Amino acid sequence: MDNETLIAAWRQLLDGSGKSWVLYEHGTCVVLEHPTADPTEQADAILREFGPVQVDTSAGDFRVLELKNGEGWLVTGHHPDVVTYVALDECEDQSHLAVGIHGRTKRDLDGTELHAVHVEDAKATG
């Protein structure tokens, strides 16, 4: 999925929240309740700790939430502000287990690569 599509999806999902957020290359978003002067650095620290998957620990857990618009899912993990978007066309098997594992894999990649592609700073726009 290209960055512009991911950014548009997250803007729609977080519209009106008034929160800052940092989007990563594979679709993981870190929502910042109390952003610091450098939101990317803050989000990197959160994702570095809570992104990588460790099976048989809470870092391997996930929950799948279906989007109301029918365009995909959100996959949550063990940090409430780290969420990964999975588009409808990303998984042939659309069971919650398959989607969750796919989203968890994307979160793991984002948590180890830490390649932010977009920052939405509510302080700067609000």
Side-chain angles (χ1 to χ4, degrees):
M1 178 175 295
D2 67 90
N3 290 342
E4 293 307 313
T5 302
L6 278 172
I7 292 166
W10 278 106
R11 276 190 177 140
Q12 181 179 1
L13 288 165
L14 295 170
D15 184 43
S17 72
K19 296 181 181 176
S20 297
W21 48 276
V22 179
L23 176 63
Y24 290 82
E25 182 176 24
H26 301 285
T28 302
C29 183
V30 178
V31 180
L32 302 169
E33 286 283 333
H34 305 286
T36 61
D38 187 343
T40 302
E41 183 179 300
Q42 181 183 11
D44 281 356
I46 292 169
L47 197 55
R48 185 179 297 109
E49 181 176 351
F50 294 97
V53 173
Q54 298 170 6
V55 179
D56 291 333
T57 71
S58 62
D61 294 346
F62 59 82
R63 183 170 171 218
V64 177
L65 307 168
E66 293 183 38
L67 295 175
K68 291 180 183 176
N69 62 12
E71 294 183 16
W73 303 267
L74 295 179
V75 178
T76 65
H78 59 300
H79 190 288
D81 298 323
V82 176
V83 184
T84 305
Y85 174 72
V86 177
L88 200 55
D89 61 357
E90 285 186 69
C91 290
E92 190 172 312
D93 179 351
Q94 296 186 354
S95 68
H96 277 207
L97 179 61
V99 169
I101 290 171
H102 182 71
R104 182 180 72 176
T105 299
K106 290 172 56 163
R107 185 189 82 218
D108 183 65
L109 287 169
D110 284 329
T112 54
E113 295 173 3
L114 296 172
H115 183 240
V117 295
H118 182 76
V119 177
E120 196 86 7
D121 190 348
K123 295 181 307 205
T125 60

